């Protein structure tokens, strides 16, 4: 039963991903709608990052995680390698937690 479920979900995911390129040639989307879709993706990802950063178990996560994500965003903005971004963000949160900042 589990294998069948995985196979059905894999087929559905593949079909969903394949539908985009196939339908994009049939459906004409105006430039304005394409721009709004691009902006909506950015807004959705920003909301996801903010929610994951600021909330945990229905409450505020604390300043350590928030500062870590802020440092990671700053380092990513400088276009440093991904490993540096992750180490800087995790290091910042770890040092703050070690200092007693939750």
């Amino acid at each position: 039963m589990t294998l069948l479920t995985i196979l059905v979900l894999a087929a559905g995911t593949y079909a969903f991903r394949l539908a985009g390129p196939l339908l994009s040639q049939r459906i004409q989307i105006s430039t304005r709608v394409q721009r709004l879709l691009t902006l909506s993706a950015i807004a959705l990802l920003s909301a996801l990052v903010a929610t994951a950063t600021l909330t945990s178990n229905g409450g505020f996560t604390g300043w350590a995680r928030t500062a870590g994500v802020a440092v990671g965003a700053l380092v990513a903005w400088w276009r440093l390698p991904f490993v540096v971004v992750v180490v800087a963000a995790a290091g910042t949160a770890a040092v703050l937690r070690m200092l007693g900042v939750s």
Side-chain angles (χ1 to χ4, degrees), residues 52-83:
T53 300
L54 299 174
T55 62
S56 177
N57 296 327
F60 181 59
T61 59
W63 291 106
R65 183 189 292 184
T66 304
V69 170
V71 168
L74 185 64
V75 174
W77 187 29
W78 292 337
R79 298 182 184 261
L80 293 177
F82 181 70
V83 173

Side-chain angles (χ1 to χ4, degrees), residues 1 8 15 17 22 33 39-40 60 70 74-75 79 83 97:
M1 185 67 181
V8 168
R17 288 179 175 246
L22 292 178
V33 172
L39 292 175
S40 67
F60 181 59
L74 185 64
V75 174
R79 298 182 184 261
V83 173
R97 287 182 179 148

Side-chain angles (χ1 to χ4, degrees), residues 33-52:
V33 172
Q34 286 179 348
R35 207 169 117 210
L36 287 174
L37 287 174
T38 302
L39 292 175
S40 67
I42 293 170
L44 181 66
L45 289 174
S46 299
L48 182 65
V49 168
T51 302

Side-chain angles (χ1 to χ4, degrees), residues 5-23:
T5 303
I6 291 172
L7 290 175
V8 168
L9 288 174
T13 301
Y14 184 76
F16 190 73
R17 288 179 175 246
L18 186 63
L22 292 178
L23 291 177

